Amino acid sequence: MPSAVLLFALQAGAGEVRFTGEGHAYHPMWSHDGRYIAFEVNRYAGNIDLFISEVQGAIAKDAARVSMPGGSTPFGGSGQVTINPVWHPERVAIFEGSNQGGQYRLYSYQPGGGAAFELVPTSVVPGDLTFPSVSKDGKAMLFVSDATGRGDLRVRDTATGKITQLTQTTAVEMFPLFTPDRANVLFTRKASATEDVFSLPAAGGAEVAVVGGGGDQTRPVVAEGGRVLFFDGARGEGLWDLAVLDAPGGAKRTVARGVRLPLRARPSLSPDGKWVGYAYDDPTKADKVVLARVDGSKTVEIHTEFKGCAEPAIAQANGRVLLAFTALPSTGSDWRFLYVMDVTDQLL
């Protein structure tokens, strides 16, 4: 039986997240407790800045720019690139950073602190470090290093700083993620012109294929009941569906066709793993964000007055559910902005 589709419009308790200067806001990522939201601002002037805003209810304070060691101007062509933020449970943002076109390294920043600091010295692991991902308990962090091969998986112990290499292949590996119990690592590998999802024991061992086939299957996340959600490009170049494996070895189920692929983000899950958010690639549907139960039982459409809605991110804080997304205020607008709203009542 198809899920019921409920439609809602924006209401009170919502607003734009402000930041200094002009630029396109992208890639919102909530802290675990919904207290902070990090996002990128691309100014198309040789730099991408990372901003963090403190959120109380659905009201976001003016966002503060994260400074890198050696960073320069607050906005403009500084050459600083700070992207792809994730969060440690203790309200620490971890992100990829590069100064003046240099290598991408991993940095850590606590809201309200000074400049970010580098997590892994080049003397320990040289080269580009990308795709950070922190375990649910905060005890370990996965990342990709190009020091060997074309991009291999490594894990960093949070308490000791010890680095362990998990893979060493000639293929490109991306989007690593611990399962909630930290027993296994999901990741994707690009080989023979397609990207597929694999699983590997975190303690080491033989990997297994999770999902593959025609086109790319990418950016996996683990939802309620161990379901694996991912973006599925099997229908062809530039066509993306949101799909799920309800059980290991089972057939994939399409949650939504023709979704808009986020700039860098995985499918947006609520912290309890029960809801997934997405937006459509079709311009006629680009004024709304959709929240769907992962088990297929319910779908809620949030209609807005905006255009080009994209990149939803879901948080749960103090018994409330918050939704962030990027959008254009109207057709032909210069800059994409970030919007936050309380959607608790719509999901009841």
Side-chain angles (χ1 to χ4, degrees), residues 162-331:
K162 179 182 177 182
I163 307 290
T164 304
Q165 186 166 343
L166 297 181
T167 65
Q168 187 169 351
T169 71
T170 58
V172 178
E173 289 153 356
M174 300 172 289
F175 297 104
L177 178 83
F178 281 111
T179 53
D181 59 6
R182 203 156 47 90
N184 295 286
V185 174
L186 292 178
F187 64 97
T188 68
R189 176 178 291 137
K190 190 82 171 182
S192 302
T194 62
E195 187 178 348
D196 300 323
V197 180
F198 295 85
S199 177
L200 179 71
E207 65 182 45
V208 296
V210 176
V211 61
D216 290 340
Q217 289 76 44
T218 187
R219 310 185 190 184
V221 292
V222 181
E224 178 188 38
R227 297 179 175 91
V228 177
L229 281 134
F230 57 95
F231 290 115
D232 184 13
R235 289 195 296 121
E237 184 74 24
L239 300 175
W240 291 100
D241 301 329
L242 179 60
V244 61
L245 288 181
D246 290 303
K252 65 184 178 184
R253 170 172 58 89
T254 299
V255 177
R257 286 170 61 90
V259 299
R260 181 166 179 161
L261 187 70
L263 181 65
R264 309 182 211 282
R266 304 169 189 265
S268 175
L269 279 180
S270 59
D272 60 11
K274 295 181 179 181
W275 292 87
V276 61
Y278 58 89
Y280 287 109
D281 196 41
D282 184 346
T284 66
K285 300 179 181 180
D287 64 339
K288 62 186 174 183
V289 176
V290 182
L291 302 178
R293 285 292 297 253
V294 174
D295 63 8
S297 63
K298 187 176 182 179
T299 301
V300 175
E301 294 184 350
I302 310 293
H303 284 255
T304 80
E305 60 189 287
F306 312 128
K307 305 295 181 183
C309 294
E311 304 181 299
I314 309 168
Q316 292 170 314
N318 300 317
R320 309 299 293 178
V321 181
L322 304 178
L323 172 67
F325 59 92
T326 67
L328 294 165
S330 61
T331 302

Side-chain angles (χ1 to χ4, degrees), residues 123-135:
S123 59
V124 177
V125 183
D128 290 303
L129 308 184
T130 55
F131 295 102
S133 178
V134 180
S135 63

Side-chain angles (χ1 to χ4, degrees), residues 33-220:
D33 59 2
R35 177 74 176 274
Y36 295 95
I37 188 164
F39 60 101
E40 303 170 16
V41 175
N42 191 334
R43 305 188 189 279
Y44 294 94
N47 65 305
I48 302 175
D49 288 325
L50 184 66
F51 280 83
I52 295 179
S53 172
E54 184 176 359
V55 181
Q56 296 180 347
I59 307 302
K61 295 183 179 180
D62 289 357
R65 175 180 174 270
V66 175
S67 296
M68 287 250 293
S72 54
T73 60
F75 47 87
S78 66
Q80 171 177 298
V81 175
T82 46
I83 60 173
N84 207 16
V86 296
W87 287 91
H88 186 278
E90 295 180 0
R91 294 179 180 169
V92 175
I94 297 170
F95 61 92
E96 301 172 27
S98 172
N99 264 329
Q100 304 297 329
Q103 292 177 323
Y104 282 92
R105 306 293 297 175
L106 298 181
Y107 293 85
S108 174
Y109 177 81
Q110 190 147 25
F117 68 90
E118 192 170 352
L119 274 177
V120 182
T122 54
S123 59
V124 177
V125 183
D128 290 303
L129 308 184
T130 55
F131 295 102
S133 178
V134 180
S135 63
K136 187 175 182 180
D137 59 12
K139 293 183 177 180
M141 177 187 73
L142 290 160
F143 63 96
V144 174
S145 164
D146 68 358
T148 59
R150 297 176 64 192
D152 292 313
L153 306 184
R154 304 196 183 211
V155 59
R156 177 183 183 270
D157 184 281
T158 302
T160 66
K162 179 182 177 182
I163 307 290
T164 304
Q165 186 166 343
L166 297 181
T167 65
Q168 187 169 351
T169 71
T170 58
V172 178
E173 289 153 356
M174 300 172 289
F175 297 104
L177 178 83
F178 281 111
T179 53
D181 59 6
R182 203 156 47 90
N184 295 286
V185 174
L186 292 178
F187 64 97
T188 68
R189 176 178 291 137
K190 190 82 171 182
S192 302
T194 62
E195 187 178 348
D196 300 323
V197 180
F198 295 85
S199 177
L200 179 71
E207 65 182 45
V208 296
V210 176
V211 61
D216 290 340
Q217 289 76 44
T218 187
R219 310 185 190 184

